[in-house]
Amino acid sequence: MRRTDRLFDIIQILRDGKLHRAQDIADRLEVSVRTIYRDMDTLTASGVPVEGERGVGYMVREQITLPPLNLTPAELEALNLGMAIVAEAADTDLKTAAKSLADKIDAVLPTQVVAEADTWKFAVYPFADAARGLAHMTPIRAAIKSRQKLRLSYRRIDSVLTDRIIRPLHMEYWGRVWTLTAWCELRNGFRVFRIDLIETVTPQPEIFADEPGKRLNDYDPNA
């Protein structure tokens, strides 16, 4: 498993808001406890709101603080989304400014200094991969609001391209990674999709209604 994929899996484990021991996470992912400790340091340095300590456990807290401001996760998402959009602009000055701003934010988010090479970045530029999914966010958000089914062309982490019909339920932001929680009709179960791995999004004419067992409230991230 690639390290970026393991970090994503750790976030999925922690998202229930409960305290998780490093040993339990290590057993689940089949790695050493020392590896989990390093991964937690990396996630914290990358802006993911993880709190805890070695020997006690780890959990995701709700608030992300950026002194002297207190930013909610939605506000930080909006800030990073704006920087990602600017980073895709043709203007080299704007690209440079976006990277400079990202570096400044990185400098104040972590409470512990971690070498730049060890921080969780999907590419040389922090938002490069996440920006690939920006074009899909508008139709996904619209489909969530209107309860409209979507057809996704989705590239799994093993590079296999799959075709899915989903009921989009909720979008979340985790330290520069946007995810989509949905009911997948192919798998007949809940799935969490990384938006940067979505190739195409096609709205379908079918509208879905709430059904017991297929609603967001029914989703258990640790099931």
Side-chain angles (χ1 to χ4, degrees):
M1 178 185 291
R2 296 184 306 169
R3 189 175 189 227
T4 53
D5 297 327
R6 185 176 69 248
L7 292 170
F8 179 75
D9 285 345
I10 291 174
I11 290 175
Q12 298 309 302
I13 294 172
L14 296 179
R15 65 185 294 175
D16 63 1
K18 299 177 182 178
L19 189 68
H20 293 268
R21 295 170 56 244
Q23 183 64 64
D24 294 336
I25 299 174
D27 291 344
R28 185 165 172 176
L29 300 181
E30 299 181 345
V31 296
S32 68
V33 172
R34 184 181 297 273
T35 295
I36 296 300
Y37 286 154
R38 289 196 298 265
D39 288 346
M40 290 302 178
D41 290 340
T42 297
L43 289 172
T44 301
S46 298
V48 177
V50 175
E51 67 177 16
E53 58 184 274
R54 301 181 181 189
V56 177
Y58 298 91
M59 64 187 298
V60 169
R61 54 187 170 84
E62 293 297 324
Q63 185 93 340
I64 299 176
T65 59
L66 180 65
L69 300 174
N70 289 324
L71 298 182
T72 65
E75 290 169 340
L76 188 62
E77 174 186 352
L79 177 62
N80 283 332
L81 176 58
M83 286 188 290
I85 293 172
V86 172
E88 295 300 301
D91 190 312
T92 56
D93 289 339
L94 288 178
K95 283 187 175 183
T96 301
K99 187 178 187 308
S100 175
L101 179 57
D103 289 341
K104 290 178 180 178
I105 292 174
D106 286 345
V108 296
L109 274 177
T111 56
Q112 179 177 354
V113 177
V114 176
E116 182 177 355
D118 292 333
T119 58
W120 182 19
K121 295 179 179 178
F122 288 99
V124 175
Y125 183 66
F127 303 105
D129 278 10
R132 285 204 303 265
L134 295 181
H136 304 317
M137 294 181 70
T138 297
I140 291 173
R141 288 184 187 276
I144 291 173
K145 291 179 181 179
S146 63
R147 298 185 179 181
Q148 185 176 16
K149 290 186 179 182
L150 296 174
R151 178 182 294 274
L152 301 185
S153 178
Y154 186 75
R155 190 169 299 279
R156 300 185 331 206
I157 59 175
D158 58 4
S159 297
V160 174
L161 192 63
T162 63
D163 190 67
R164 314 285 186 99
I165 297 294
I166 66 165
R167 301 181 179 198
L169 301 174
H170 185 59
M171 290 176 63
E172 290 182 288
Y173 174 74
W174 301 93
R176 303 195 188 102
V177 176
W178 283 272
T179 63
L180 169 64
T181 302
W183 176 266
C184 178
E185 298 196 346
L186 175 66
R187 303 301 183 190
N188 195 34
F190 292 104
R191 290 294 184 270
V192 177
F193 300 97
R194 275 173 45 178
I195 294 180
D196 60 299
L197 298 182
I198 295 175
E199 299 282 340
T200 62
V201 175
T202 306
Q204 301 298 289
E206 186 177 356
I207 303 299
F208 64 88
D210 281 342
E211 294 183 34
K214 299 182 180 181
R215 301 164 299 189
L216 182 61
N217 290 340
D218 300 317
Y219 173 60
D220 180 358
N222 290 319

